[in-house]
Amino acid sequence: MTPQQEPFRSPVSTTYEQMLERVRYEGAYPTRARAEQAVRAVLALLGGQLTGDERVALAAELPREAADILTSQTPATRPLTGWGFVEDLSSRTGGTPATTRWDTGTVLRIVAQLIDEKLLDRILDRLPTGYALLFGRAELTQAA
């Protein structure tokens, strides 16, 4: 008798619509369309900042539509710190730094909830300083 194999299951258990609804709720956005604007802007810029295995692994854990946004971007030639990320996004979207920081933190906190903790650790190790807070984590630094 051969052992019965488990059917293939996608590691992604959240749909894009569910992700948008979580962003809308946690970000207190008035509409789903406004939440989607934030998701698209943040993931597109993050896709340019994140490269290599971490980018591929993150895309594999996100809903397909979110993964497509992330991976459609070419890698940036200049890495941005966390605050640089917010400033760049603010200039691209026309938002204030405060509202853009809110958008970024809301979207990346949801992303952090959707992915494996070890993957988040790898992503934060790969990115310049300042991203941990955007993902809802404390920024830990070593004493000099």
Side-chain angles (χ1 to χ4, degrees), residues 23-25 27-32 34-35 38 99 102-104 106-107:
V23 168
R24 188 186 70 74
Y25 178 77
Y29 297 108
T31 65
R32 183 176 173 269
R34 177 62 188 93
T99 59
W102 179 266
D103 292 346
T104 303
T106 300
V107 172

Side-chain angles (χ1 to χ4, degrees), residues 1-139:
M1 184 177 257
T2 60
Q4 189 173 11
Q5 291 184 337
E6 287 288 318
F8 174 76
R9 291 195 180 126
S10 170
V12 177
S13 60
T14 301
T15 67
Y16 185 63
E17 289 74 25
Q18 290 169 326
M19 180 183 177
L20 291 178
E21 200 51 39
R22 287 174 69 178
V23 168
R24 188 186 70 74
Y25 178 77
E26 290 194 23
Y29 297 108
T31 65
R32 183 176 173 269
R34 177 62 188 93
E36 187 168 20
Q37 286 175 341
V39 167
R40 288 184 172 281
V42 171
L43 290 181
L45 189 55
L46 182 63
Q49 292 297 305
L50 196 57
T51 60
D53 293 340
E54 289 75 22
R55 178 178 161 146
V56 172
L58 176 58
E61 291 198 25
L62 292 175
R64 185 185 53 78
E65 297 89 338
D68 289 347
I69 296 164
L70 180 84
T71 58
S72 68
Q73 304 305 306
T74 57
T77 56
R78 179 178 61 97
L80 299 170
T81 63
W83 182 244
F85 183 94
V86 171
E87 288 179 319
D88 190 32
L89 189 60
S90 177
S91 70
R92 290 171 188 247
T93 62
T96 67
T99 59
T100 304
R101 168 61 179 90
W102 179 266
D103 292 346
T104 303
T106 300
V107 172
L108 294 182
R109 275 192 320 274
I110 298 301
V111 167
Q113 293 169 12
L114 295 176
I115 66 174
D116 180 72
E117 287 280 327
K118 290 179 182 175
L119 174 58
L120 181 56
D121 291 340
R122 287 179 23 222
I123 289 169
L124 292 174
D125 285 344
R126 181 73 107 144
L127 292 169
T129 62
Y131 283 86
L133 289 173
L134 297 174
F135 279 95
R137 282 198 173 173
E139 183 82 35

